[in-house]
Amino acid sequence: GQQLNQSPQSMFIQEGEDVSMNCTSSSIFNTWLWYKQDPGEGPVLLIALYKAGELTSNGRLTAQFGITRKDSFLNISASIPSDVGIYFCVVGANSKLTFGKGITLSVRP
Amino acid sequence: DVKVTQSSRYLVKRTGEKVFLECVQDMDHENMFWYRQDPGLGLRLIYFSYDVKMKEKGDIPEGYSVSREKKERFSLILESASTNQTSMYLCASRRLAGVLGNEQFFGPGTRLTVL
């Protein structure tokens, strides 16, 4: 089946630092999404991207939809403790979502 | 705000038991989904439903069935629970398929342990 590549599995950063996460696929997708899952909760949509090359911001978050439609990145600037959680890149096709394996982010105060 | 609720946060069952996981959404969404989440594997789609009495297999339907008798409720059934079904189960809903911007809203999850 479709596979999304997210690595590393875990990231550890200092509060105030910026962090970048990348996601790649061997297939082309027309919808790329980034979800975040807080501990003990279900995932919540952060940013949705629908156009190749699109760059979208949501507060301290910035995400881009790769021009080849095979990749996306998410940047978090000036990290804070509540940024901890699992970040999933997600692609949409045929009305279904396919999730990457996620990156667990830890923020040291 | 959309609210998706799941009947239990934690559940412990024995091998061979029949298990029902219930999900209810309060926003009149047509589409509903069941995923399981395992460490290092992300979320995997088990079953989904476009509307009442409709169901489609996801990527890992084996060992599961579903029921959608009412629009707001989507049930996941484990006919005979096995230890490899120990997992976190997440329900989600969405207003309409194929419409840009229609995100999936998730419930808090049910952590099921099968002994």
Side-chain angles (χ1 to χ4, degrees):
Chain A
Q2 302 144 352
Q3 191 161 6
L4 296 174
N5 302 307
Q6 280 189 273
S7 64
Q9 195 168 351
S10 302
M11 299 180 78
F12 300 85
I13 61 172
Q14 200 75 32
E15 184 178 355
E17 286 182 346
D18 300 344
V19 62
S20 184
M21 303 178 189
N22 197 43
C23 184
T24 61
S25 170
S26 57
S27 302
I28 289 174
F29 292 99
N30 293 317
T31 300
W32 286 75
L33 310 162
W34 286 91
Y35 274 77
K36 182 198 176 194
Q37 184 177 27
D38 289 328
E41 300 297 330
V44 173
L45 180 66
L46 296 176
I47 290 182
L49 302 158
Y50 301 107
K51 190 175 177 182
E54 179 182 1
L55 184 71
T56 297
S57 293
N58 178 7
R60 294 179 297 107
L61 307 179
T62 302
Q64 183 153 33
F65 185 164
I67 197 73
T68 64
R69 291 184 286 160
K70 291 184 177 181
D71 65 305
S72 175
F73 72 75
L74 174 72
N75 283 346
I76 304 173
S77 63
S79 59
I80 59 178
S82 62
D83 289 334
V84 300
I86 305 175
Y87 290 81
F88 294 101
C89 79
V90 183
V91 292
N94 301 320
S95 300
K96 295 191 295 181
L97 298 181
T98 298
F99 283 72
K101 294 180 180 180
I103 293 175
T104 300
L105 180 67
S106 300
V107 179
R108 290 187 291 260
Chain B
D1 281 350
V2 175
K3 191 163 185 185
V4 180
T5 56
Q6 296 183 227
S7 50
S8 306
R9 292 300 294 264
Y10 299 94
L11 209 53
V12 180
K13 295 291 181 181
R14 296 209 174 272
T15 300
E17 279 193 77
K18 190 169 185 175
V19 181
F20 292 87
L21 302 182
E22 306 285 346
C23 174
V24 177
Q25 49 94 4
D26 65 358
M27 285 300 291
D28 202 35
H29 284 177
E30 284 80 9
N31 305 160
M32 296 188 74
F33 306 80
W34 274 106
Y35 296 85
R36 64 177 281 175
Q37 181 178 15
D38 300 289
L41 295 179
L43 276 69
R44 293 178 291 166
L45 182 64
I46 305 172
Y47 265 97
F48 62 103
S49 169
Y50 284 122
D51 212 328
V52 178
K53 297 198 185 292
M54 297 174 69
K55 59 185 179 184
E56 297 282 341
K57 292 180 179 179
D59 299 318
I60 51 164
E62 296 79 19
Y64 303 94
S65 62
V66 290
S67 173
R68 184 102 182 266
E69 295 297 316
K70 294 185 178 180
K71 193 173 188 179
E72 67 271 17
R73 188 180 296 270
F74 192 33
S75 303
L76 180 69
I77 303 156
L78 287 66
E79 293 289 341
S80 178
S82 62
T83 54
N84 63 13
Q85 292 178 310
T86 292
S87 186
M88 170 70 85
Y89 289 88
L90 289 159
C91 173
S93 75
R94 178 181 63 192
R95 186 171 68 84
L96 277 175
V99 178
L100 287 183
N102 270 1
E103 68 180 278
Q104 290 189 18
F105 294 88
F106 284 83
T110 296
R111 186 166 293 282
L112 172 67
T113 301
V114 182
L115 302 175

